[in-house]
Amino acid sequence: MPRRRRILVPEARPALDRLKRDLMEEEGLASNKGSDQPLEEEVAGQLGIPLGKGDDGELTTRQAGKVGGAMGGPLVRKLIEIAQQQLVETSQYMPGTKREGLPPRDAGPGR
């Protein structure tokens, strides 16, 4: 089976990194915005998982999952929330679309 190529948007990296750090701060898993330490290492340290530079082949699947789950869950939820809000906002400008059944534009989660 051929490998799938990842398509990256390098210009988005700084904003995505800021979003990840902000979300991890909300979760209480990251604290130092000015840190040179990679966010994954900081979160792993908070969870008591020995993650370091280079090969982490000694990690168990459970340990790797704790770091990935702690970071991935909030990130995916936030990205879905952003996408839903953008769909609601853009649908009002699209001819032939109905807003019936859609929440008001300001009625997102936690508002």
Side-chain angles (χ1 to χ4, degrees), residues 5 49 57 60 63 81 97:
R5 282 183 60 172
I49 296 170
T60 66
Q63 289 173 319
E81 178 185 326
T97 61

Side-chain angles (χ1 to χ4, degrees), residues 88 91 98-104:
V88 168
S91 69
K98 296 180 182 178
R99 292 194 44 85
E100 297 171 1
L102 291 175

Side-chain angles (χ1 to χ4, degrees), residues 37-109:
Q37 183 180 28
L39 182 60
E40 290 78 6
E41 289 179 20
E42 188 175 342
V43 170
Q46 293 280 338
L47 297 172
I49 296 170
L51 185 68
K53 292 183 181 3
D55 183 15
D56 288 308
E58 299 298 317
L59 287 181
T60 66
T61 302
R62 184 178 301 269
Q63 289 173 319
K66 281 185 180 179
V67 176
M71 294 181 69
L75 180 61
V76 169
R77 281 191 295 276
K78 185 64 175 180
L79 292 174
I80 289 171
E81 178 185 326
I82 291 168
Q84 287 175 334
Q85 185 62 35
Q86 287 178 348
L87 283 172
V88 168
E89 290 171 1
T90 59
S91 69
Q92 67 181 328
Y93 301 110
M94 296 173 64
T97 61
K98 296 180 182 178
R99 292 194 44 85
E100 297 171 1
L102 291 175
R105 280 181 274 158
D106 62 341

